């Protein structure tokens, strides 16, 4: 079964995006991977050309937004990027036939993403037992779009309705998952955090995706990038993807 990937980035997240895209191209079988879709919220022409020259399967959707991590984590630019993710996801699940995997740009692929389809379900979410916000929006796999469209629409609406400085995407996802599990027959598969959202080095045998998730808020992109990658034990895992 073919599948596609979608992620969102602006010019500030270019180093993260290089790691994600290059690791996908390195680890994933092109026989199954149809497209890598990049939602462009302000990439430079040079940055876009870098990715388009990498592979014909890379598609760039330029939105017209120009964000650049202004205000730091949870700032205005961060909010625009995160809130826009479910909007683009909803549009794409209404257009595409193949399963669609939405990933945050600050991720690293360790194993072939196609193996995730073996877990099945109408959709997959990353579960974090013991957290008040039980599901994290950095990983979302829509497999049966006809059955997931209403879920994605509700997630989008709930995320858009939230205001203020703070995380809105994952709390909204958690509300929606809880409701759909109780009130519908939608087959929601919970994926373990170590498999699709590992953020403590090193990766385990089951790790498919690493997430360079921060443990606090950062004022600048360089500050968060250095804390998550440069000054952590992940450096050796990403250096080959930063050419």
């Amino acid at each position: 079964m073919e599948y596609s990937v979608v992620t969102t980035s602006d010019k500030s997240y270019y180093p993260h995006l290089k790691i994600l895209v290059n690791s996908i191209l390195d680890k994933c079988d092109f026989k199954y991977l149809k497209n890598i879709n990049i939602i462009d919220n302000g990439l430079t022409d040079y940055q876009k050309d870098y990715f388009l020259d990498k592979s014909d399967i890379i598609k760039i959707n330029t939105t017209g937004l120009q964000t650049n991590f202004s205000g730091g984590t949870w700032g205005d630019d961060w909010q625009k990027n995160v809130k826009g993710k479910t909007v683009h996801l909803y549009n794409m699940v209404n257009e595409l036939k193949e399963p669609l995997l939405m990933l945050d740009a600050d991720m690293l692929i360790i194993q072939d993403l196609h193996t995730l389809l073996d877990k099945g379900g109408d959709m997959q979410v990353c579960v974090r037992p013991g957290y008040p916000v039980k599901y994290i929006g950095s990983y979302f796999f829509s497999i049966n779009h006809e059955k997931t469209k209403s879920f994605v629409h509700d997630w989008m609406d709930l995320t858009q309705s939230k205001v203020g400085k703070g995380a809105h995407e994952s709390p909204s996802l958690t509300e929606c998952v809880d409701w759909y599990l109780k009130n519908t027959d939608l087959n929601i598969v919970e994926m373990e955090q170590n498999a699709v959202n590992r953020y403590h080095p090193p990766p385990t045998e089951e790790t498919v995706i690493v997430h360079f998730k921060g443990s606090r808020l950062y004022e600048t992109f360089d500050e968060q990038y250095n804390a998550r990658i440069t000054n952590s034990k992940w450096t050796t895992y990403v250096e080959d993807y930063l050419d």
Side-chain angles (χ1 to χ4, degrees):
M1 180 187 293
E2 283 190 320
Y3 70 101
S4 288
V5 174
V6 62
T7 192
T8 298
S9 182
D10 60 20
K11 63 185 178 182
S12 70
Y13 258 58
Y14 177 59
H16 281 311
L17 187 61
K18 287 176 73 175
I19 293 168
L20 174 63
V21 171
N22 286 329
S23 63
I24 292 175
L25 296 176
D26 180 39
K27 299 295 185 181
C28 296
D29 190 338
F30 284 26
K31 180 170 62 176
Y32 302 110
L33 178 57
K34 186 173 182 180
N35 289 125
I36 302 171
N37 300 280
I38 300 172
I39 305 300
D40 162 29
N41 284 347
L43 294 168
T44 67
D45 289 340
Y46 171 84
Q47 292 169 345
K48 286 184 278 189
D49 287 343
Y50 171 87
F51 294 113
L52 292 174
D53 289 343
K54 283 283 179 178
S55 174
D56 291 340
I57 70 169
I58 296 175
K59 310 297 181 184
I60 296 179
N61 176 5
T62 298
T63 66
L65 282 179
Q66 293 288 326
T67 60
N68 192 29
F69 207 71
S70 175
T73 310
W74 291 0
D76 289 343
D77 281 358
W78 187 90
Q79 295 286 4
K80 290 175 185 176
N81 283 317
V82 173
K83 283 196 168 186
K85 285 170 53 183
T86 49
V87 175
H88 298 296
L89 176 65
Y90 181 68
N91 291 336
M92 294 182 76
V93 298
N94 278 279
E95 296 170 0
L96 301 183
K97 292 182 172 58
E98 74 274 11
L100 180 64
L101 174 59
M102 184 174 73
L103 299 174
D104 277 3
D106 55 345
M107 289 180 137
L108 166 72
I109 307 309
I110 300 293
Q111 300 184 51
D112 193 340
L113 295 169
H114 185 259
T115 61
L116 298 169
L117 285 168
D118 294 339
K119 301 296 184 180
D122 296 323
M123 56 175 266
Q124 297 174 3
V125 291
C126 177
V127 63
R128 305 187 297 172
Y131 284 81
V133 179
K134 189 177 179 182
Y135 304 98
I136 184 167
S138 56
Y139 176 94
F140 183 87
F141 209 160
S142 174
I143 298 172
N144 186 334
H145 300 327
E146 284 303 312
K147 291 188 175 180
T148 63
K149 279 190 291 189
S150 62
F151 179 97
V152 175
H153 183 272
D154 290 345
W155 182 21
M156 174 185 69
D157 279 356
L158 191 56
T159 302
Q160 298 302 315
S161 72
K162 294 186 181 296
V163 296
K165 193 169 184 177
H168 302 309
E169 178 193 36
S170 293
S172 298
L173 175 63
T174 299
E175 288 185 49
C176 287
V177 171
D178 286 344
W179 190 90
Y180 271 78
L181 284 174
K182 292 175 183 175
N183 297 284
T184 74
D185 62 355
L186 185 65
N187 185 4
I188 301 174
V189 172
E190 297 182 342
M191 303 293 286
E192 295 295 330
Q193 191 168 12
N194 277 340
V196 297
N197 198 66
R198 175 78 176 179
Y199 59 89
H200 291 307
T204 67
E205 287 186 5
E206 66 179 322
T207 302
V208 178
I209 305 170
V210 167
H211 186 196
F212 302 116
K213 181 175 168 54
S215 57
R216 63 182 183 86
L217 305 183
Y218 300 97
E219 294 295 326
T220 68
F221 174 82
D222 287 343
E223 183 184 5
Q224 67 93 348
Y225 184 83
N226 289 334
R228 297 181 188 186
I229 296 178
T230 307
N231 295 329
S232 75
K233 295 179 180 179
W234 288 121
T235 304
T236 57
Y237 292 89
V238 305
E239 55 191 5
D240 290 340
Y241 298 130
L242 290 168
D243 62 331

